[in-house]
């Protein structure tokens, strides 16, 4: 069980391998998801992610606890960066393990849906035209209703 | 005394990330009214409460939430993580 909030880049391969190596017996499925900075309109100089230290970790731990209540999970990793990053840099990852793949896949999707709109992160995009906060999307809020 | 925190564009509009406020407000909404009465920059930040979210002691809540015993209130726009 781990929630990590950090500004430094992470090594996806190393994280995934370490997660896999730490599993006990019987975990037949490991799912990982990685979020990457998108240059949606073209010309993105940087993306800056602000967060609420303290509440961020607390919110992520609550989201993890909800996932563990709903699915039979071995382990969970939620890693999310803050600070300034460029297009194509990795922002965050989740990893889940379970005996069979359905639990690990569904829990990973649940974690993603919830951390998008229930964990206190805010994205700001910097382009040649200026800077602007990314607006929350109704679809992200709607996505919570399916759980 | 209560610590009031602002994030993202709310922080930018108000011009500070955090301040300590002397207040008798019983609810978040009453605190918002007190802040609005202070200066124009607060009115600008709190113009549309439907565009804002609030956390009391680091738990998401709503504007009707009581403030008794609260140490920290944070205002911010809808979150955009992931």
């Amino acid at each position: 069980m781990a929630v990590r909030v950090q500004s430094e880049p992470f090594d996806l391969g190393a994280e995934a391998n370490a997660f896999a190596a730490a599993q006990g017996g019987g975990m037949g499925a490991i799912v990982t998801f990685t979020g990457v900075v998108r240059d949606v309109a073209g010309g993105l100089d940087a993306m800056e992610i602000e967060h609420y230290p303290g509440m961020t970790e607390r919110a992520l731990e609550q989201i993890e606890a909800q996932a563990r209540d709903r699915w039979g999970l071995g382990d969970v990793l939620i890693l999310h960066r803050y600070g300034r990053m460029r297009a194509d840099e990795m922002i965050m990852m989740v990893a889940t393990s379970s005996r069979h793949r359905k639990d690990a896949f569904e829990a990973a999707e649940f974690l993603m849906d919830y951390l998008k709109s229930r964990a206190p992160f805010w994205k700001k995009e910097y382009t040649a035209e200026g800077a602007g906060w990314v607006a929350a999307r109704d679809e992200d809020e709607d996505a919570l209703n399916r759980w | 005394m209560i610590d009031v925190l602002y994030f993202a564009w709310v922080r930018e509009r108000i011009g500070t990330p955090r301040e300590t406020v002397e207040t008798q407000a019983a609810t978040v909404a009453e605190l918002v009214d007190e802040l609005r009465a202070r200066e124009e920059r607060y009115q600008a930040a709190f113009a549309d409460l439907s565009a804002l979210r609030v956390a009391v002691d680091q738990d998401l809540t709503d504007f009707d939430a009581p403030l008794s015993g609260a140490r920290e209130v944070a205002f911010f726009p809808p979150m955009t993580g992931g």
Side-chain angles (χ1 to χ4, degrees), chain A residues 50-52 54-55 58 62 80 91-92 115-124 133-134 136, chain B residues 5-9 11-12 53 55 57-60 72-74 76-82:
Chain A
E50 181 170 336
H51 80 119
Y52 182 172
M55 181 175 165
R58 186 181 164 88
Q62 287 168 351
H80 205 301
I91 304 176
M92 55 79 58
L115 77 83
K116 273 192 104 65
S117 44
R118 290 293 183 274
F121 291 100
W122 302 274
K123 294 192 180 106
K124 190 173 191 178
W133 293 97
V134 174
Chain B
L5 283 67
Y6 310 106
F7 292 95
W9 59 255
R11 170 179 54 73
E12 291 176 341
R53 300 291 179 268
D57 289 336
Q58 304 192 351
D59 278 323
L60 273 180
E72 186 172 297
V73 178
F76 41 80
M79 295 155 274
T80 52

Side-chain angles (χ1 to χ4, degrees), chain A residues 32-51:
Chain A
T32 67
F33 172 86
T34 311
V36 176
V37 178
R38 287 189 307 153
D39 185 355
V40 181
L44 183 77
D45 291 329
M47 163 91 77
E48 187 150 23
I49 299 183
E50 181 170 336
H51 80 119

Side-chain angles (χ1 to χ4, degrees), chain A residues 15-32:
Chain A
E15 294 293 345
N17 280 325
F19 185 83
Q23 301 309 304
M27 290 301 130
I30 292 172
V31 167
T32 67

Side-chain angles (χ1 to χ4, degrees), chain A residues 76-96:
Chain A
V76 173
L77 168 67
I78 305 175
L79 194 167
H80 205 301
R81 294 176 63 196
Y82 62 88
R84 214 170 169 91
M85 44 206 100
R86 295 185 172 280
D88 303 327
E89 274 192 61
M90 287 181 264
I91 304 176
M92 55 79 58
M93 67 172 289
V94 299
T96 53

Side-chain angles (χ1 to χ4, degrees), chain B residues 18-36:
Chain B
R18 161 194 286 268
E19 60 189 327
T20 301
V21 173
E22 186 73 57
T23 180
Q24 301 300 320
T27 63
V28 173
E30 285 183 29
L31 175 64
V32 169
D33 286 341
E34 288 182 10
L35 292 170
R36 273 182 180 140

Side-chain angles (χ1 to χ4, degrees), chain B residues 39-59:
Chain B
E39 287 176 50
E40 206 280 324
R41 60 195 168 105
Y42 291 94
Q43 284 179 35
F46 291 108
D48 177 11
L49 292 190
S50 72
L52 293 181
R53 300 291 179 268
V54 59
V56 173
D57 289 336
Q58 304 192 351
D59 278 323

